[in-house]
């Protein structure tokens, strides 16, 4: 295997890994440069349409607004990423942001190009500038684009310098090309060959070119005329580079009521977050001596707001305060060096310590591998829906270590699809990682009519639980609904199905996350603060009432009727505990004698706890009993059950 792979331990102590972490995925930096072609058709307003939300923005204005929307999002969600905007085919002197300042970065910019926003970490001022220019329709309409002497080869050569100087060490570098001209050098074959060579130089540098075509009114966009020789769909050997992309996205247009800006945003957002490899060139062992190499990609990842940081305002400028931790001895309180301590586990009331080499040998279950154990029919018995412990990983073949991996991988995928089989595998993602049992599930291409290719064909790796991971089911009585109620429920469900009968994630942005971004954006840009979040997950009550309101009322009447029938047979049900009848009441006969408060069921006295400690059975107590005993002793109740057990045992050991 090639050296220096991400799944190999390069030395030093490695913390125990229960699962494949995604630290590298989250911290890899990304640099994106928008290259927007400026010509007469890009400056012409889009034809008006009767669709809802359609606008008459020109393709250039829609492209600038698209860049603005994504820049504001990345300014908060990815504050370390770079982004820039380059206009191709227009003189930089034609665009002025204010009376005293030229918008373009004129230094070292090639002729007939305008670097609107430099490739850098965008600031609030850059976002304001881009917003004002995108909304200044009067200035955009006055632009005089260059038609004869502009060369895409020169612009690509300039972008090579931009990426090489601004984002030299970035893991992902991409050039987003927005244009409606499918043959820019139709009359000059020399410029076409030169542009293809410059695109190859960008590819060798590790910069991926992404094309976002715009369809002209009444025409199409033919990639074969020029851009198939410029846009490379293969990826470099860098495991953190974007994953293989399929054929280009469909062209954005403003026909049939589609908003050009919305169409562009949908296309760009689908590629804005690069697909980075979680592990690279991992051997997939199909049998003794037969191995291929695969890469694993995170396709779906939950997005969360960035964590807050402590800021120190005591200096001239605010500075982020970084925390430091140190290990100290309990008896002396002095800090101890790393060489003076060892890892230990508690067993039988004693601390069992291990050296670094011993820990490594205990955790070692062999080299990283995906080893096929056998095949099973794909059904809910062999792969139940509850069996996955976490999100699946998308596997794709790699030719770097084993030539022919793509053919073998494709044959395996097709065979599993044709025979409706899944593979059970033994999965070790990297050294010192806990091995997992997983299922390999083959998948076909997923294509959407509007957004184009969603996922290429491949194989999903789904982690499965061990016997130790399965917990006993709660004791719940089986309740069977009557058939009339089931029939009415079935009718309601049929009337309230989602469009196309399936859930489409692209239609439902996270309302909490979007609200967080909108508030931060308004504060950073000094805009008016929003008053109400936009939540597309809210039910459309009027449509629900129109389609199923009468059915729901009939269902409620049927439920009440069936409940009355059940009470007539079983008696009135109650969830309140029955109070025991007292033998005698105060004021009537003999007074009730006072008794000592009995020990509650969730309380344990010191003698009982001491006996459990001597038998090493403290962990058998419930969480409520542990907390009740610790509360009586004035000890902390924070932490998991294992922490509470250790706190109880430490109390007895200190006596």
């Amino acid at each position: 295997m090639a050296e220096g792979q991400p799944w190999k331990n390069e030395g030093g102590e490695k913390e125990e890994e229960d699962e494949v972490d995604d630290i590298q995925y989250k911290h890899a930096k990304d640099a994106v440069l928008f290259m927007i072609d400026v010509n007469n058709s890009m400056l012409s307003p889009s034809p008006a349409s009767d669709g809802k939300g359609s606008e008459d923005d020109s393709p250039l204005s829609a492209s600038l607004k698209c860049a603005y929307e994504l820049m504001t999002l990345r300014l908060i969600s990815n504050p370390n990423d770079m982004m820039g905007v380059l206009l191709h085919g227009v003189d930089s002197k034609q665009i002025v942001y204010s009376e005293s300042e030229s918008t373009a970065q004129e230094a070292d910019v090639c002729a007939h190009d305008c670097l609107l926003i430099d490739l850098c970490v965008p600031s609030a001022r850059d976002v304001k500038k881009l917003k004002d220019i995108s909304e200044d329709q009067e200035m955009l309409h006055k632009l005089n684009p260059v038609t004869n002497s502009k060369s895409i080869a020169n612009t690509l050569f300039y972008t090579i310098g931009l990426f090489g100087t601004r984002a030299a060490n970035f893991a992902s570098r991409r050039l987003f090309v927005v244009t409606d001209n499918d043959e820019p050098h139709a009359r000059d074959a020399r410029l076409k060959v030169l542009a293809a060579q410059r695109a190859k130089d960008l590819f060798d540098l590790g910069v991926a070119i992404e094309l976002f075509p715009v369809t002209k009114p009444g025409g199409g966009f033919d990639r074969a005329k020029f851009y198939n020789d410029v846009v490379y769909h293969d990826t470099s050997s860098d495991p953190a580079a974007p994953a293989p992309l399929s054929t280009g996205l469909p062209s954005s247009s403003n026909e049939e009521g589609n908003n050009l800006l919305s169409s562009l945003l949908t296309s760009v957002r689908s590629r804005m977050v690069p697909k980075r490899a979680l592990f690279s060139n991992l051997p997939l062992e199909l049998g003794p001596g037969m191995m291929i190499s695969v890469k694993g990609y995170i396709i779906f990842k939950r997005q969360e707001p960035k964590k807050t940081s402590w800021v120190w305002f005591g200096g001239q400028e605010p500075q982020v305060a970084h925390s430091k931790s140190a290990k100290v001895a309990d008896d002396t309180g002095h800090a101890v060096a790393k060489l003076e301590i060892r890892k230990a586990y508690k067993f039988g009331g004693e601390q069992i310590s291990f050296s670094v080499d011993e820990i490594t040998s205990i955790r070692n279950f062999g080299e990283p591998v995906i080893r096929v154990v056998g095949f099973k029919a794909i059904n809910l018995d062999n792969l139940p829906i509850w069996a996955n412990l976490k999100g699946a990983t998308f596997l794709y073949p790699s030719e770097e270590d084993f030539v022919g991996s793509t053919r073998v991988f494709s044959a395996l995928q097709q065979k599993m699809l044709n025979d409706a089989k899944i593979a059970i595998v033994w999965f070790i993602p990297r050294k010192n990682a806990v091995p997992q049992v997983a299922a390999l599930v083959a998948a076909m291409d997923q294509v959407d009519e509007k957004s184009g290719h969603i996922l290429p064909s491949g194989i999903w790796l789904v982690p499965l639980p061990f016997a130790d991971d399965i917990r006993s089911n709660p004791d719940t009585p089986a309740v069977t609904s009557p058939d009339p109620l089931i029939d009415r429920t079935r009718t309601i469900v049929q009337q309230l199905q989602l469009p196309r009968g399936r859930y489409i994630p692209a239609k439902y942005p996270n309302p909490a996350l979007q609200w967080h971004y909108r508030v931060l954006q308004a504060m950073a840009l000094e805009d008016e603060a929003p008053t109400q979040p936009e939540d597309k997950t809210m039910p459309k009550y009027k449509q629900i009432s129109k389609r199923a309101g009468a059915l729901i009322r009939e269902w409620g009447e049927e439920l009440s009727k069936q409940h009355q029938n059940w009470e007539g047979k079983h008696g009135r049900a109650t969830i309140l505990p029955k109070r025991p009848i007292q033998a005698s009441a105060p004021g009537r006969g003999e007074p009730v004698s006072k008794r000592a408060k009995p020990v509650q069921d969730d309380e344990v006295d010191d003698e009982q706890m001491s006996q459990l400690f001597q038998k090493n059975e403290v962990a058998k107590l419930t969480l409520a009993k542990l907390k009740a005993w610790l509360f009586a002793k004035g000890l902390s109740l924070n932490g998991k059950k294992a922490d509470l057990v250790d706190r109880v045992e430490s109390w007895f050991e200190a006596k």
Side-chain angles (χ1 to χ4, degrees), residues 365-427:
F365 281 84
E367 292 293 325
V369 70
I370 302 177
R371 182 179 296 113
V372 176
V373 178
F375 295 88
K376 286 182 173 292
I378 181 170
N379 52 50
L380 291 180
D381 293 332
N382 295 329
L383 188 63
I385 57 176
W386 51 262
N388 55 326
L389 291 176
K390 60 175 185 175
T393 304
F394 185 75
L395 299 184
Y396 209 74
S398 171
E399 294 282 336
E400 295 181 20
D401 290 339
F402 298 97
V403 178
S405 297
T406 303
R407 290 187 176 183
V408 178
F409 186 90
S410 177
L412 175 65
Q413 182 239 4
Q414 292 296 330
K415 184 62 176 177
M416 292 171 62
L417 284 174
N418 295 336
D419 295 353
K421 299 287 186 180
I422 60 173
I424 306 299
V425 299
W426 174 260
F427 174 44

Side-chain angles (χ1 to χ4, degrees), residues 150-189:
K150 68 177 183 179
S151 171
I152 290 184
N154 293 339
T155 305
L156 294 180
F157 181 77
Y158 173 66
T159 59
I160 293 176
L162 274 181
F163 283 108
T165 56
R166 307 290 201 278
N169 299 323
F170 276 44
S172 173
R173 296 177 290 182
R174 294 177 291 167
L175 178 65
F176 286 3
V177 180
V178 183
T179 180
D180 64 350
N181 188 1
D182 55 5
E183 195 173 9
H185 298 311
R187 300 180 180 180
D188 196 334

Side-chain angles (χ1 to χ4, degrees), residues 215-292:
T215 302
K216 297 179 181 179
F221 193 98
D222 188 1
R223 294 176 175 85
K225 292 182 179 179
F226 176 78
Y227 282 99
N228 280 352
D229 298 329
V230 174
V231 179
Y232 288 82
H233 299 295
D234 296 331
T235 56
S236 62
S237 59
D238 187 359
L245 293 173
S246 59
T247 55
L249 293 171
S251 304
S252 301
S253 65
N254 199 43
E255 299 177 357
E256 298 179 0
N258 295 326
N259 190 335
L260 177 60
L261 176 59
S262 301
S263 181
L264 271 175
L265 280 172
T266 301
S267 300
V268 176
R269 280 174 177 170
S270 65
R271 295 185 178 181
M272 199 60 188
V273 179
K275 304 182 183 71
R276 300 190 180 105
L278 182 61
F279 52 81
S280 181
N281 303 327
L282 193 66
L284 172 58
E285 183 179 330
L286 302 176
M290 183 178 181
M291 290 190 295
I292 61 175

Side-chain angles (χ1 to χ4, degrees), residues 75-76 124 128 516-530:
L75 185 66
I76 300 173
K128 285 184 178 180
H516 175 81
Y517 286 157
R518 288 181 60 191
V519 172
L520 286 184
Q521 175 184 333
M523 296 180 65
L525 303 181
E526 299 179 356
D527 292 338
E528 184 179 355

